[in-house]
Amino acid sequence: MTSGALYIGLMSGTSTDGVDGVLADLADPHHPLIRAHVSLPMPEPLRQEFLALNTKGSNELQRAALAGNALARLYAAAIRELLEQSGNIAQSIRAVGAHGQTVRHDPAAGYTLQINAPALLAELSGIDVIADFRSRDVAAGGQGAPLVPAFHQAVFSASIPRAILNLGGIGNVTLLHPGEPVRGFDTGPANVLLDLWCKEKTGQAYDVDGRWAASGRSHPALLEALLRQEPWFDLPPPKSTGRDLFNHAWLAQRLAPFLAQGIADTDVQATLQSLTARTVAEAIERHAPAIREVWVCGGGALNSALMSELGQALGRPVHPTSGLNIPVQLVEALAFAWLAQAYDQGQAAGLPTVTGARHPSVLGCRYPA
């Protein structure tokens, strides 16, 4: 391993299903090498607390602080496993990039909130922690999201126009055109509504490989209602979103007349899958029609039914990023290792062409061990 180029990246996303971690050698930041990786499930009580903190509730300040401490301990457990896999080389790790758990995101109001306890994580791990990646860009008038397009540009650029699509809870796309500034924005719900409906109706955390959706049929009228009754979809980039908008209340309001007509639960699931595919396809067609191929990461890339429908909607080749030698579930964790290095090097990863900020910004804040 290369001394001085080792970073750990940790990510717990909108789906709140777990923590992914990587230990990466970033001696060549355009060709990162993953030396170890780990995925730990989110304990159900912590997951439910994060979901509850997405909306107003009682005693929020204390609950958020305690949830941050619990997340730091989970992050520390992930770091221990990474170090065990790699020979306990904590002294060689330059820093840990730890994003925290986003529970509120409203850049129009000038704030974004990630629950985290980076000082505690630095204490527990004995390694410097770099966190708070969104707020500097928001302070400069930007969306603070998506965070990863600079990383995507560094590691995924090619000689043809290419899109990198992350299908986590929320979908976001990075548009890579040779010789042009990188662009990126959120496309809307990816798995967040699919998982919500599946959990509510089947008790399962998610629809494995889209099998439950495949047992139903997409409902054209419901799909159009979901698309046309939400003004956010028609907003131009830069734009970002989250559970603040796409949540149970949003879905329940739009489903009500269709449930009254007796629509099948499986048809709702199939329609929500179509919503993900359609919003991605319309966003790319509207804002980057020259894109030739789409590479997909995040949990949605493991859903073959969704990937197939996405390919049909896009009319372009759609591939998992594992075909580019980065496993789909590790792209975002690797991105936060890369962002930690970018902070160390004073590299501006907050890009106005992505977020709409007034100027580029170095993202993050360091918490020494």
Side-chain angles (χ1 to χ4, degrees):
M1 295 188 186
T2 306
S3 177
L6 300 180
Y7 287 82
I8 286 174
L10 300 171
M11 178 62 184
S12 50
T14 308
S15 295
T16 64
D17 53 353
V19 169
D20 296 317
V22 301
L23 191 160
D25 184 339
L26 300 177
D28 181 349
H30 299 285
H31 298 91
L33 299 176
I34 296 175
R35 299 300 190 184
H37 61 86
V38 64
S39 292
L40 298 181
M42 183 80 71
E44 188 60 24
L46 182 57
R47 180 175 189 270
Q48 291 303 320
E49 183 69 296
F50 283 138
L51 294 175
L53 287 166
N54 279 123
T55 56
K56 295 179 181 178
S58 63
N59 199 25
E60 289 179 301
L61 294 178
Q62 181 184 34
R63 288 166 50 211
L66 293 176
N69 288 346
L71 182 62
R73 294 187 179 94
L74 185 60
Y75 280 167
I79 291 172
R80 286 194 296 272
E81 289 205 21
L82 291 169
L83 294 176
E84 288 172 4
Q85 291 180 37
S86 55
N88 293 308
I89 54 165
Q91 70 282 359
S92 300
I93 307 300
R94 184 73 178 86
V96 174
H99 181 42
Q101 185 68 46
T102 301
V103 292
R104 307 285 176 91
H105 183 69
D106 190 354
Y111 77 91
T112 182
L113 179 60
Q114 288 71 51
I115 293 180
N116 202 355
L120 177 59
L121 181 58
E123 181 70 21
L124 293 172
S125 66
I127 305 171
D128 288 8
V129 173
I130 298 171
D132 191 20
F133 289 97
R134 292 198 197 277
S135 63
R136 185 65 185 88
D137 185 85
V138 172
Q143 293 282 309
L147 284 169
V148 293
F151 164 73
H152 289 163
Q153 182 183 40
V155 301
F156 291 130
S157 291
S159 60
I160 62 172
R162 170 184 281 180
I164 310 299
L165 173 66
N166 176 57
L167 294 177
I170 297 296
N172 58 73
V173 65
T174 298
L175 306 174
L176 301 173
H177 291 80
E180 298 181 12
V182 62
R183 293 181 292 149
F185 52 90
D186 286 355
T187 59
N191 295 310
V192 62
L193 299 179
L194 285 164
D195 292 351
L196 188 158
W197 187 251
C198 184
K199 177 69 172 178
E200 181 175 324
K201 296 301 176 180
T202 72
Q204 301 302 308
Y206 62 96
D207 184 8
V208 178
D209 211 24
R211 295 171 194 160
W212 192 49
S215 67
R217 299 180 65 181
S218 185
H219 193 290
L222 173 58
L223 178 59
E224 289 305 309
L226 295 173
L227 285 166
R228 304 312 164 204
Q229 292 178 20
E230 179 45 63
W232 186 90
F233 291 126
D234 293 324
L235 292 176
K239 62 179 183 176
S240 58
T241 189
R243 288 184 186 271
D244 306 67
L245 176 60
F246 295 108
N247 51 36
H248 185 275
W250 185 94
L251 183 59
Q253 179 183 357
R254 288 155 179 79
L255 279 183
F258 296 90
L259 293 175
Q261 297 167 17
I263 188 173
D265 293 343
T266 52
D267 290 352
V268 173
Q269 186 75 359
T271 307
L272 293 174
Q273 180 175 287
S274 296
L275 176 67
T276 296
R278 178 90 166 265
T279 50
V280 168
E282 288 188 357
I284 290 177
E285 192 59 41
R286 184 180 305 169
H287 301 293
I291 288 294
R292 298 266 297 278
E293 60 185 20
V294 179
W295 294 83
V296 186
C297 59
L302 302 175
N303 182 333
S304 61
L306 175 57
M307 289 286 280
S308 176
E309 185 165 358
L310 185 62
Q312 293 173 10
L314 283 164
R316 296 168 173 82
V318 176
H319 312 284
T321 56
S322 52
L324 299 175
N325 299 316
I326 301 181
V328 298
Q329 290 286 66
L330 301 182
V331 172
E332 284 209 301
L334 181 59
F336 283 98
W338 189 94
L339 285 166
Q341 185 188 56
Y343 172 89
D344 270 351
Q345 297 179 345
Q347 176 182 347
L351 305 177
T353 56
V354 173
T355 68
R358 290 183 291 272
H359 55 73
S361 295
V362 176
L363 304 180
C365 182
R366 188 179 215 95
Y367 293 78

